């Protein structure tokens, strides 16, 4: 029941923009709670990389005086990975295309993270 | 001589916006080449965290099909850390305040990275 609601929020998130290719909700220790991933993208891999980036992001923010971590963005030549905390125990990870409008993606992911955090 | 030119580019970068608090050019193995840091911010710490974030960012971009890494952004409650490649051997790391206008910071840092990459 809760899994269905998580999936429904992710599904809606993916539908807000054609530039969002995949999304998932992941516990801060790297376990997938729900995901909407295209074929060929491994759940475990997305979970593991998200948890590792967040853990190092936490430490970077703290060591360099940036306070508690909100989000981490990785930009590659072929697109973005955006990780945003949904509450304290989970993170939303989104994969977006390289020509995505970042301002819109930030807004949509932040909204989804707020909805998700209420369910977790 | 070259160190002076690197410092001059960083100095100019910090001057483009009051929201940029610190900047440095760091080799991809984490050694500082030049920096304009406020008192209290340790060069070695900035270098080490930048190199670690880039290394994991490289791996995340590659594992999740985002191509070669361009940049990593860490957003904390009290501000941003932005790391952008300057050529293949070095990275520019910038610390910015929490209310900074990200679009402008991205643009200014990208320009500085291009100038710096010509000197390295």
């Amino acid at each position: 029941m809760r899994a269905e609601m998580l999936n429904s929020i992710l599904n809606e998130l993916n539908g807000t923009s054609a530039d969002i290719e995949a999304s998932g909700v992941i516990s801060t220790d790297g376990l997938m709670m729900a995901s909407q991933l295209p074929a060929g993208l491994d759940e475990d891999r997305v979970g593991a990389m998200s948890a590792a980036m967040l853990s190092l992001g936490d430490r970077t923010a703290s060591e360099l005086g940036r306070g508690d971590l909100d989000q981490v963005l990785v930009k590659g030549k072929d697109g973005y990975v955006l990780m945003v905390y949904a509450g304290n125990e989970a993170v939303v990870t989104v994969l977006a295309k390289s020509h995505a409008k970042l301002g819109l993606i930030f807004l949509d992911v932040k909204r989804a993270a707020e909805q998700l955090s209420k369910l977790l």
Side-chain angles (χ1 to χ4, degrees), chain A residues 40-99:
Chain A
L41 198 59
D42 184 56
E43 244 189 34
D44 292 344
R45 186 175 297 188
V46 176
M49 297 317 299
S50 300
M53 281 304 292
L54 275 186
S55 164
L56 189 60
D58 266 330
R59 181 145 176 238
T60 301
S62 137
E63 293 265 2
L64 303 184
R66 303 298 104 184
D68 289 340
L69 185 66
D70 267 342
Q71 59 186 48
V72 177
L73 174 76
V74 173
K75 183 187 179 196
K77 300 263 181 285
D78 303 332
Y80 298 91
V81 185
L82 176 61
M83 286 149 277
V84 179
Y85 270 106
N88 293 320
E89 308 293 333
V91 57
V92 190
T93 294
V94 166
L95 304 190
K97 293 183 185 167
S98 57
H99 54 265

Side-chain angles (χ1 to χ4, degrees), chain A residues 3-65:
Chain A
E4 275 168 35
M5 292 169 78
L6 296 176
N7 269 308
S8 145
I9 294 171
L10 292 181
N11 210 12
E12 198 181 310
L13 173 61
N14 290 17
T16 55
S17 161
D19 294 329
I20 296 184
E21 295 181 291
S23 64
V25 196
I26 299 145
S27 68
T28 47
D29 49 3
L31 299 174
M32 195 64 79
M33 295 167 159
S35 67
Q36 296 283 327
L37 304 178
L41 198 59
D42 184 56
E43 244 189 34
D44 292 344
R45 186 175 297 188
V46 176
M49 297 317 299
S50 300
M53 281 304 292
L54 275 186
S55 164
L56 189 60
D58 266 330
R59 181 145 176 238
T60 301
S62 137
E63 293 265 2
L64 303 184

